[in-house]
Amino acid sequence: MKRGVRVSGDLSSRILMTGSPTCGYERASRLLLQALGTGSHGFLAAYKVLQNFPGPFPWMNVLEELCMKVPIVDGFTRELILKPRLALLPLQLQRNLFSILNFVFPLLPTPCIQLVAEAISVKDYFSDAWLLHLTQQFLRNCGIETPLLSPHVIERLHILCTDLNPVLAEHSKLDWYKEPVPKAVSEREAVQEDVASPKLSVCTKELSTTAQSLSPSPEAEMKEITATEEILPASIKAHISMLKQSLHLDMDSESPDRGFVLQLQTICDLCNPLQLQTVLTTVGVSQISSKCLFQLCVHLDAVSPDLSYAHAQSLASSLFLDRVLSLASPASRSLTAALAVFSNKYARPACNTLIGPVLVQAKTGSVYADFLCRMITECLVSHQLHLCFSPILEVPCSEVSISVLHLLTEKKDKFSPSEFDLLLNFLCDAADNFSKSVTFSKLLLVLLTSKHDLIQPNHIGPLTSALACNQTFMKKSLQSSLKKLQKNIK
C-alpha cells in the first residue's frame, strides 16, 4: 500500500493510507483531519470545513479509511492486535471526530453509520472517559444498546460529572446520570424544575446568590460547608487541615516559606476553580486577619508557574470580594497591600472580579468609592490601569464611576483609540442623566483639553449633543473647547 497525503505531520498524517495517490477524497480527508486536530476548537473548525466544502462531503470514503483495521503491538501484552485507524488518532482529535459525527448523524448515509458502529463496538479500543461517552452516544443514536462500563471507567466518569455538576445531597453510585430533557419542555419549565429541586448544584448556588435576599443562619452555613467539603475528592481533602493550620501561622512576609508555597501550588494543581473556592471557604479564609491575608498573597505570588485566569479569579473572589463588600470603615493598609501583591501577577482577574460588584454598591463618599480610588492609586501600576475601564463601563454610569474614570484619565498617560472610543461613547450616552453634574462636566473638559489629540471627526456629533444638554456653569467652557477642536480637525 502507498502512503497518502500527509496531514499535520503527526500520527493522523500516517494513518490515512490509500491505494491510489489521486483519490478524490484525499483532499477532504486532509482538510477534515487538519481541522479536527486544532485542539479544543477542532469541532468548530471541522464544522466550517463541512459548511464550505464544495459539493457533498465524501463521508463513505473518509470513514472507510478511518475504520479500516490495521495491525499494531498491544502496549500491555506485546501481542499483535487489530485496531481501527481512528483509534490511533491523538486523543483530542478522536474526541472532536466523534463530536462532529454525533452532530451530523442525521445526515450520514446508513452504510457510514454501520461502518463506524462496527468499528467502535469493542469497548477496549477507548479508555478515555469522555471519548467513551461520545462513542456510546453515537451507538445510542444508531439504536444499539451500549455495553456495560468497566468499574474503572464508571469511576472516572463519576468524578468527571461530579466536577461538572456536584450535588450537595447524598446520591447513589450512578446518580450523576441525568435523562435528556425532552425538546417539548421549555427553558422556563427547565429552570423552574432546577430551582424546585432539593439537589442544587454548587454552580447554581454561585449563580443565584444575587436572588437570595436573606443571609443563611450560622448553622445553615456550617451544614453547607460540611456538605460541600464532602463532595471534594479524597486527594484534595487530605490537604485541607494542613492548609488551615498554615493560614494562621505568623510567617515572615519578606521571605516566603518554600513548604507553604509548594502546598499552595499542590492545592491549585489538584483543584478546578470551583473546588478551589470550596477549599478556601472550608478553611475559613474570609476570617483570617488582613495581615495573614497579606502573607498568603506573598506566598501566592511565589507560586510558579502562574495560575490560570479562572483559578486567579476564584482566588480574587474568595480572598477579597466578600471582605471588601463588608467594609464598614476605610480599608486597612494591610488589605490594600495584600491586593497590591496579588495584582502584581493577577491584575486582570482582580479588576474583573472586584470593580463591578463594588461599583454597584458604591455611593459618593462611601467606603466603597474610597476603596476603588485606593485600588487604582495604591494597588495597580501604570501599565495595568487599562484593565479597569472594561469592568467600569459594563456597570450603569454613576457619580462614583465618573469620579473613578476621572482619576483613571489623570493617571493614565496614553489611551489606545479603541479605549478612548469606548470611554467617550459611554459618557455621551450618559450625558442626559448627568446634565447637572459638575463632576461629569469636569471629566468631559479633561477629555476635550488634555486628550484632544485622540478626538476624531466622528466624535464631534456625539460630543455636541452631550454638551447641548449640559446645565452646569461649565457649559460655555466646554463648548468653547469643542469649537477649538473642530477648527483644528478641519
Side-chain angles (χ1 to χ4, degrees), residues 327-341:
L327 284 174
S329 57
S332 65
R333 294 192 59 140
S334 299
L335 178 58
T336 55
L339 182 57
V341 174

Side-chain angles (χ1 to χ4, degrees), residues 382 386 389 409 411-416 419 451 454:
S382 57
H386 70 281
F389 283 98
T409 305
K411 284 186 66 66
K412 187 172 170 60
D413 296 329
K414 295 181 180 179
F415 280 84
S416 68
E419 287 175 345
K451 309 297 180 184
L454 292 169

Side-chain angles (χ1 to χ4, degrees), residues 283-357:
V283 300
V285 75
S286 59
Q287 278 80 46
I288 64 175
S289 66
S290 297
K291 182 181 178 183
C292 288
L293 178 64
F294 173 76
Q295 294 170 344
L296 174 59
C297 291
V298 168
H299 286 79
L300 283 170
D301 189 60
V303 171
S304 180
D306 293 353
L307 304 176
S308 69
Y309 175 86
H311 280 79
Q313 197 168 32
S314 292
L315 284 168
S317 177
S318 299
L319 300 182
F320 296 103
L321 185 56
D322 289 341
R323 191 179 293 262
V324 171
L325 292 177
S326 61
L327 284 174
S329 57
S332 65
R333 294 192 59 140
S334 299
L335 178 58
T336 55
L339 182 57
V341 174
F342 184 82
S343 300
N344 180 48
K345 281 187 177 180
Y346 309 112
R348 186 181 297 275
C351 291
N352 291 344
T353 301
L354 297 177
I355 291 178

